[in-house]
Amino acid sequence: MNTSLIKHAETIIKIKNNGLDAQLIKLFPLNEIINCCKRIEDINILKDDYKENEIFQKELVRDENFILYLNEVYKKELDIDGFEKLIEDIQKHNDMISNYPIKNVLDILNNSQLSCQAYYSYLKYFLNYTDSSEFKRIITNNLNHFFEQSDITFETLTEKERELLKSNILDNYNLVPIKNIKEIYEILVNNEELRKFILFLNDKKLYLPLNLDLYEMIAKNAKEIRILIEKIVNKVNDEIVYKLLLKWLENDCKLYDLKVLESKIGDIDIEKIKDIASNKSKYINFIYGNKLKQFPLELMQDGMEELIIYAISNNKNGFLRLIENNINDFLSIPSNSILYDKNFYINYINLNSLTNKHLNELKTMIIDRDCNIDILDNQVYTFEEIKTLYKVNKNYIYLYNNLLDLKIDERLLRIRQFIKKDLLKESIEDWQIENLTKLIKIKPLYMWLEQDFNKIKDIKIEDVVQILINYDCIQKFIPEIMNQNVLLYILRNIDNVSNYDNVKYIINNIEDIDVYWKYLKKEMNFSEEFIQKYKENINEFLLNNGAELAYKYFKDRNIEQKESFKLIVKSELMGEFKKLKYHTNDLNREIDYKLN
């Protein structure tokens, strides 16, 4: 028998006898497994728990001293699940538990306050700081805090960022949020004054709910902010300061706010300060000089507060006087009014220009799926402009955006002419808007009609729109066009006729030019004799778009319907259609009658 097979079989038996998994043969050389079995036989393992534990078994093979650590953990009845987590992390980092003194390992397992997720990081990076109970507490709390998140591993931190964990500033979930923790550590490492500020807040138990954006704001003036807050704390109790600072955070951590608070807070009674801190708009009103003295800020509905805060912060004093003088009208504006849309009051309107009449109109100007003012270009408009464009089709706003270099009255005149007749209700492409804009800037739509196209009989204002869109192509034909039907034919077939020089040629050769007539003539088998005989009628039929309409209808009919429809078209071309009299089910019989 092959000696290697015998040796292999003996090894498997030895593995089984020592409670190890035979799968270890796939992971380690045989001699390492055999040595592990000898260690187990020489040093009796105190408990059998390892037999069902893949992590422990791997470590018994790879680290000859692990058995000593395992026995100590069993002997002292320490956290076996935590120890397993520690060994798992050791293996992930290709480390050895025997690289660390057993005393330190046991200390970590004895630390009931430390999360097992943090065992390995504590062991690897902070062994030298565990003698002091205060250091032990700080590092424990900071590590626990860090391991509340799983997006960033501890190893990705720089040495300076890990050093932060030795300070008493990282363990509060408000002051140091776990979201974006890596970025927050980076800011703290690079800003000593910010570290002092966070430590100050921690010492004072002012656990403000900070985030990355607020960190970045505070970092710019961390020293001045800390000094001002220290002065405020000396004047008012911590509970009131905390509420005031919450409002300060909401107002983007402005240094100006703290300067005002520090200078005024000592002269105000506690109840007044509580009132200021109870409501963001009251806070803003106080910071910016009590610009609203009579307005009942406590009655504000959704959306009102942000609007009022914006008005106070941006010196919209005319608007503030307006709402104080018309409190009931303002309060009756519903929360879905466009007045409370930030785009409206920040980008589109000067709040100081509003009147009480406008407030009442805003009660019915709500934001819904038909309100398209958000596609206006970002600039200030008059209320009349907003009112005109409120709830119109997007096409009108696209056109209006192109007219903004005109004076307000001129662009309003032009757009209202389009809106009144709903002339842009169909979909329209960018190039069409551009073509239309160029000519509408020259003069309004009706002036084009009266001055340039009034000789065209039966022309309508919507026809003028199409002329202006296609003006470059149709301009040369305008002097000859006397009737609407000729105009419409050229507009409908602008791509086909643009290469011709005059209308007379187009009309005389319309049978050759009209693509749909070619299709219809072929489908209906009209003879040349018939075509020549009724040439005048056919030309009129084509000018009125008859060929296109007839062909599109004809091609989707069934055979029986096609035969009937052929007779109807034929009678129209002969000029006899109006003489036909037919009733239900009599159509074929009557139109089959030989017409003279």
Side-chain angles (χ1 to χ4, degrees):
M1 183 179 289
N2 190 313
T3 55
S4 65
L5 287 177
I6 294 172
K7 185 177 181 181
H8 195 77
E10 289 174 347
T11 301
I12 291 176
I13 292 170
K14 201 172 187 66
I15 288 172
K16 291 289 186 181
N17 289 341
N18 284 286
L20 299 178
D21 191 333
Q23 295 297 318
L24 291 170
I25 293 174
K26 297 178 181 179
L27 303 175
F28 300 98
L30 279 179
N31 65 312
E32 290 185 18
I33 299 174
I34 292 169
N35 289 337
C36 176
C37 290
K38 287 179 181 177
R39 288 194 295 274
I40 293 172
E41 292 164 358
D42 292 342
I43 305 172
N44 183 38
I45 297 181
L46 298 179
K47 288 190 179 182
D48 290 338
D49 295 0
Y50 79 94
K51 293 179 179 179
E52 302 298 326
N53 193 307
E54 180 183 347
I55 290 172
F56 286 168
Q57 289 190 33
K58 285 181 182 178
E59 200 64 14
L60 283 167
V61 176
R62 67 189 288 269
D63 186 346
E64 62 184 36
N65 291 314
F66 173 66
I67 191 169
L68 303 175
Y69 287 76
L70 183 60
N71 267 344
E72 283 297 315
V73 173
Y74 284 148
K75 185 192 300 182
K76 296 184 181 300
E77 296 184 345
L78 296 175
D79 177 13
I80 196 68
D81 291 331
F83 187 54
E84 180 183 346
K85 172 61 180 164
L86 172 60
I87 300 305
E88 183 181 14
D89 289 340
I90 288 271
Q91 291 172 358
K92 282 180 183 177
H93 292 87
N94 200 27
D95 201 351
M96 293 282 191
I97 191 69
S98 57
N99 289 334
Y100 306 96
I102 195 165
K103 174 185 178 297
N104 295 103
V105 173
L106 297 178
D107 280 349
I108 286 172
L109 296 176
N110 268 309
N111 187 348
S112 61
Q113 302 302 311
L114 183 63
S115 164
C116 65
Q117 306 294 323
Y119 282 175
Y120 178 66
S121 297
Y122 198 121
L123 188 64
K124 183 172 181 179
Y125 297 106
F126 300 105
L127 271 180
N128 297 330
Y129 303 95
T130 55
D131 290 339
S132 163
S133 60
E134 179 62 12
F135 265 127
K136 185 176 180 179
R137 181 193 67 79
I138 290 171
I139 293 171
T140 295
N141 290 343
N142 288 342
L143 278 172
N144 287 343
H145 178 265
F146 179 86
F147 280 98
E148 282 292 322
Q149 57 82 41
S150 56
D151 295 333
I152 303 297
T153 63
F154 199 75
E155 286 65 39
T156 60
L157 299 180
T158 66
E159 184 178 351
K160 287 185 177 180
E161 288 163 1
R162 290 196 294 269
E163 285 287 309
L164 288 173
L165 276 80
K166 300 172 188 175
S167 59
N168 196 25
I169 64 170
L170 297 184
D171 64 340
N172 185 272
Y173 290 85
N174 276 349
L175 293 179
V176 185
I178 57 175
K179 186 178 180 182
N180 305 118
I181 197 164
K182 170 72 171 171
E183 292 89 339
I184 287 173
Y185 279 13
E186 288 173 359
I187 294 173
L188 287 168
V189 162
N190 295 311
N191 194 320
E192 181 183 1
E193 290 297 335
L194 183 60
R195 294 198 300 274
K196 290 180 181 178
F197 173 66
I198 298 298
L199 183 60
F200 164 75
L201 293 179
N202 209 342
D203 289 343
K204 291 294 182 180
K205 295 184 171 52
L206 295 171
Y207 302 130
L208 298 177
L210 303 180
N211 57 39
L212 180 59
D213 290 341
L214 294 172
Y215 260 82
E216 290 173 345
M217 292 176 193
I218 294 168
K220 298 172 186 176
N221 302 293
K223 182 177 181 179
E224 296 92 328
I225 287 171
R226 176 176 55 82
I227 292 171
L228 285 167
I229 293 178
E230 284 178 349
K231 291 180 179 179
I232 294 169
V233 167
N234 292 332
K235 296 180 180 181
V236 190
N237 70 60
D238 292 350
E239 181 184 351
I240 297 297
V241 171
Y242 183 78
K243 291 180 179 179
L244 285 171
L245 291 180
L246 289 179
K247 298 297 176 288
W248 171 68
L249 293 181
E250 290 179 45
N251 200 37
D252 299 332
C253 310
K254 292 183 174 68
L255 197 60
Y256 175 79
D257 290 20
L258 296 178
K259 290 177 179 178
V260 172
L261 287 171
E262 192 276 325
S263 66
K264 293 183 177 181
I265 208 75
D267 301 325
I268 304 173
D269 64 68
I270 291 297
E271 291 306 313
K272 178 63 176 174
I273 297 173
K274 286 181 179 179
D275 187 54
I276 291 167
S278 69
N279 177 297
K280 186 181 177 183
S281 54
K282 288 182 179 180
Y283 167 85
I284 296 294
N285 194 39
F286 171 75
I287 293 296
Y288 289 92
N290 290 310
K291 294 181 179 180
L292 283 176
K293 295 181 174 60
Q294 306 298 325
F295 190 87
L297 292 168
E298 65 278 0
L299 296 181
M300 288 186 303
Q301 303 172 17
D302 293 344
M304 286 185 181
E305 185 171 49
E306 288 302 315
L307 168 64
I308 287 178
I309 289 169
Y310 171 80
I312 294 172
S313 305
N314 291 274
N315 296 315
K316 301 298 180 181
N317 298 328
F319 175 73
L320 295 173
R321 285 193 297 274
L322 173 68
I323 64 174
E324 277 211 303
N325 294 332
N326 301 278
I327 292 173
N328 290 334
D329 286 334
F330 178 68
L331 290 176
S332 62
I333 297 173
S335 60
N336 58 351
S337 167
I338 63 168
L339 175 61
Y340 303 120
D341 179 75
K342 284 188 177 181
N343 245 353
F344 175 73
Y345 64 74
I346 293 176
N347 296 322
Y348 294 151
I349 200 79
N350 178 1
L351 288 175
N352 286 335
S353 69
L354 296 179
T355 66
N356 189 44
K357 178 176 179 290
H358 298 151
L359 290 183
N360 283 294
E361 289 178 301
L362 284 163
K363 293 176 185 178
T364 58
M365 294 174 67
I366 62 172
I367 294 177
D368 58 21
R369 65 196 307 176
D370 297 322
C371 179
N372 294 315
I373 63 165
D374 59 322
I375 60 175
L376 279 168
D377 279 2
N378 274 0
Q379 72 164 52
V380 176
Y381 299 85
T382 64
F383 186 82
E384 284 306 307
E385 289 177 280
I386 296 292
K387 183 180 174 183
T388 299
L389 298 168
Y390 169 68
K391 282 200 173 182
V392 298
N393 185 295
K394 290 181 179 181
N395 293 333
Y396 299 104
I397 298 182
Y398 295 145
L399 177 59
Y400 199 76
N401 284 342
N402 287 343
L403 299 175
L404 293 177
D405 51 346
L406 296 178
K407 292 180 180 179
I408 292 173
D409 289 346
E410 292 179 2
R411 64 196 192 219
L412 274 175
L413 169 65
R414 284 157 172 75
I415 202 65
R416 282 169 173 164
Q417 289 182 347
F418 281 88
I419 292 172
K420 185 175 181 180
K421 293 289 186 179
D422 201 8
L423 298 175
L424 298 180
K425 58 187 174 184
E426 305 298 334
S427 60
I428 190 166
E429 297 182 34
D430 290 345
W431 68 267
Q432 293 174 308
I433 290 284
E434 290 173 10
N435 288 356
L436 198 53
T437 300
K438 283 190 296 185
L439 297 168
I440 288 300
K441 280 184 177 181
I442 297 172
K443 53 189 171 184
L445 191 61
Y446 279 91
M447 197 172 288
W448 277 102
L449 174 61
E450 293 162 6
Q451 295 179 358
D452 298 81
F453 312 128
N454 64 339
K455 64 181 177 58
I456 301 176
K457 185 180 178 182
D458 297 327
I459 189 172
K460 297 179 180 177
I461 195 65
E462 49 262 45
D463 302 332
V464 177
V465 174
Q466 292 305 312
I467 290 174
L468 298 183
I469 288 174
N470 298 281
Y471 194 73
D472 288 344
C473 295
I474 203 173
Q475 182 181 13
K476 62 185 177 183
F477 300 126
I478 294 297
E480 291 183 74
I481 298 174
M482 297 298 164
N483 296 298
Q484 186 201 31
N485 62 344
V486 174
L487 170 66
L488 294 181
Y489 183 83
I490 291 175
L491 285 170
R492 284 192 301 267
N493 296 276
I494 195 70
D495 292 335
N496 295 333
V497 303
S498 59
N499 291 329
Y500 300 112
D501 294 327
N502 56 74
V503 174
K504 184 177 181 181
Y505 180 88
I506 293 170
I507 294 174
N508 289 341
N509 296 275
I510 195 169
E511 295 170 37
D512 298 323
I513 292 171
D514 195 300
V515 174
Y516 288 101
W517 172 245
K518 294 175 184 177
Y519 299 152
L520 191 68
K521 181 174 63 172
K522 181 179 179 182
E523 289 287 343
M524 296 194 172
N525 296 316
F526 295 136
S527 67
E528 284 302 319
E529 181 183 357
F530 178 85
I531 291 170
Q532 289 303 316
K533 183 175 182 179
Y534 298 106
K535 186 177 182 65
E536 187 176 337
N537 290 346
I538 290 172
N539 284 5
E540 187 66 21
F541 179 74
L542 298 184
L543 279 175
N544 287 293
N545 203 35
E548 180 180 355
L549 295 174
Y551 176 72
K552 287 182 176 178
Y553 179 82
F554 177 82
K555 69 185 180 66
D556 291 329
R557 302 305 101 196
N558 59 39
I559 294 176
E560 184 178 347
Q561 290 171 332
K562 281 183 177 181
E563 290 304 313
S564 298
F565 190 59
K566 280 182 186 179
L567 296 174
I568 292 173
V569 173
K570 188 174 182 179
S571 67
E572 171 67 13
L573 297 179
M574 293 168 63
E576 300 291 336
F577 180 74
K578 291 182 180 178
K579 295 181 180 179
L580 291 179
K581 296 178 182 178
Y582 51 89
H583 307 280
T584 305
N585 299 323
D586 289 342
L587 177 60
N588 276 324
R589 181 167 55 83
E590 295 211 16
I591 61 178
D592 278 344
Y593 178 76
K594 185 177 177 62
L595 295 168
N596 59 31

